[in-house]
Amino acid sequence: MQPTGNLHIGNYLGALKNWVRIQHDYECIFCIVDLHAVTVFQEPAQLRAKIAEIAAIYLAAGIDPKACAIMVQSAVPAHTELAWMLTCVTPVGWLERMTQYKAKSAKQESIGDGLLQYPVLMAADIMLYQAGIVPVGEDQAQHLELTRDIAQRFNSLYGDTFVVPGANLPAVGARVMGLDDPTIKMSKSEIGANHAVALLDPPEKIRKTIMRATTDSNPAVDLESAGPGVLNLLSIYQAFAGVTDREIKNQFTGMRYGDLKKQVAEMAIAHLEPFQARYRSIVSEPGYLDGILREGAERVAPIANDTVRLVKQRMGLYA
């Protein structure tokens, strides 16, 4: 995850909760991608603070640093070294067709080259560790497919070097939409006051945001004709509660929207309050986060450095 904006319940239910579930089934590396963040200007002190915040959120969510590595991208220089070598084998046309690049560049008069090269760095993040599986959602599927293309192109040019990451992803979590606009995915970059529930929001703010969520013109919950806003609220409740579709139908059919929102808010608060207590405990311990991140980088650096040495050897570079 990028250390920008405020992580929200969409990040938790869509990714973090799933990461916690799979962490003991695979050899997992959880990276804070600060190099991706600086494709646009970041205030340095705020970026450093956000890196620590994301690390604490990973831990508070239940990621176990004894079972897997939690690390910061820029702490392992091999990320950028491999990215340059992959850039040299990646056609510009592949990058210009990326949906996120086209969408973001259309909004800006001038764009940095980092925005175009962003997917190559993401490919390097994956290929550096010879990763077989990348647990990302549908919005990153195109970037993962590009990673596969880059790996296959490098292997065809220089011989079998990289694992081609699997296209079949582990089951991902709920797809949470914006509370103010349920037709778009909940996003850290949206600035609307009622768009998202941040993981560190206090209970009263959580209630206020959810109570203002968009619904539809029906007087009460009807799953057959419910609009996207109502379905989004039900999905959030279900993802937190871990209940079945049948239980959702039995519990909420015919319920008025004010009562639905109250139940969703209380369910979110019940899960986020203990999470926030763990977060406060983690950040109150001097030196703890720095130690976790340092150990994580030290744990993965040998894998990364071995890959870079192999790539240099295959390309004929001095190593």
Side-chain angles (χ1 to χ4, degrees):
M1 293 182 177
Q2 285 193 41
T4 57
N6 296 314
L7 290 188
H8 49 65
I9 58 172
N11 300 122
Y12 176 74
L13 297 173
L16 276 169
K17 191 176 179 184
N18 186 50
W19 293 358
V20 171
R21 182 180 63 79
I22 68 172
Q23 66 180 320
H24 297 290
D25 298 330
Y26 302 90
E27 185 179 356
C28 293
I29 300 170
F30 297 110
C31 188
I32 300 166
V33 288
D34 55 342
L35 293 168
H36 285 292
V38 295
T39 54
V40 296
F41 175 78
Q42 304 294 334
E43 200 285 315
Q46 185 176 7
L47 179 59
R48 281 189 286 270
K50 281 292 178 181
I51 290 168
E53 180 182 292
I54 299 289
I57 285 175
Y58 281 8
L59 293 167
I63 292 177
D64 181 0
K66 293 187 177 72
C68 46
I70 302 173
M71 45 82 69
V72 181
Q73 187 184 29
S74 64
V76 180
H79 282 261
T80 48
E81 194 171 5
L82 180 60
W84 171 253
M85 291 182 276
L86 297 181
T87 295
C88 294
V89 302
T90 304
V92 172
W94 289 7
L95 303 177
E96 290 177 333
R97 77 183 186 210
M98 301 302 289
T99 301
Q100 287 191 15
Y101 169 74
K102 289 190 288 187
K104 290 181 179 180
S105 61
K107 297 177 183 178
Q108 302 175 32
E109 290 185 11
S110 175
I111 59 170
D113 186 49
L115 189 61
L116 181 66
Q117 300 298 336
Y118 181 110
V120 183
L121 178 58
M122 182 174 172
D125 296 337
I126 296 165
M127 293 162 63
L128 193 61
Y129 301 105
Q130 304 287 3
I133 296 176
V134 188
V136 295
E138 291 177 5
D139 58 328
Q140 293 295 332
Q142 189 185 32
H143 283 154
L144 181 57
E145 192 56 42
L146 178 71
T147 300
R148 290 172 51 80
D149 290 342
I150 293 172
Q152 289 167 344
R153 180 175 173 81
F154 191 98
N155 289 347
S156 70
L157 289 171
Y158 294 107
D160 192 18
T161 305
F162 290 110
V163 170
V164 179
N168 295 323
L169 307 179
V172 296
R175 184 175 174 85
V176 179
M177 312 303 284
L179 293 171
D180 57 347
D181 182 356
T183 65
I184 63 172
K185 187 178 177 182
M186 190 175 285
S187 169
K188 292 193 284 113
S189 60
E190 291 292 328
I191 58 174
N194 301 308
H195 175 74
V197 170
L199 293 178
L200 300 179
D201 278 347
E204 281 312 306
K205 187 173 182 182
I206 294 171
R207 288 192 185 92
K208 181 184 289 188
T209 302
I210 291 177
M211 292 305 294
R212 291 179 176 175
T214 298
T215 52
D216 57 35
S217 59
N218 290 340
V221 176
D222 178 358
L223 291 176
E224 300 302 321
S225 61
V230 173
L231 294 176
N232 188 41
L233 289 168
L234 292 171
S235 176
I236 291 169
Y237 183 96
Q238 184 174 18
F240 272 122
V243 294
T244 64
D245 290 347
R246 179 178 292 276
E247 288 171 309
I248 288 292
K249 183 176 183 178
N250 291 342
Q251 182 173 347
F252 290 105
T253 296
M255 182 178 289
R256 300 188 69 84
Y257 292 151
D259 293 329
L260 165 64
K261 291 177 180 180
K262 287 177 183 176
Q263 292 212 22
V264 174
E266 293 311 312
M267 178 60 68
I269 291 166
H271 280 76
L272 292 182
E273 281 189 322
F275 162 85
Q276 291 172 2
R278 291 192 297 272
Y279 174 88
R280 289 190 294 269
S281 175
I282 289 163
V283 299
S284 69
E285 189 173 340
Y288 177 67
L289 280 176
D290 284 342
I292 293 293
L293 294 176
R294 186 169 55 252
E295 289 170 11
E298 290 170 353
R299 183 171 175 173
V300 302
I303 306 170
N305 293 336
D306 282 348
T307 299
V308 166
R309 278 192 293 270
L310 176 62
V311 172
K312 284 182 173 181
Q313 181 187 55
R314 293 287 163 82
M315 295 182 79
L317 296 169
Y318 183 82

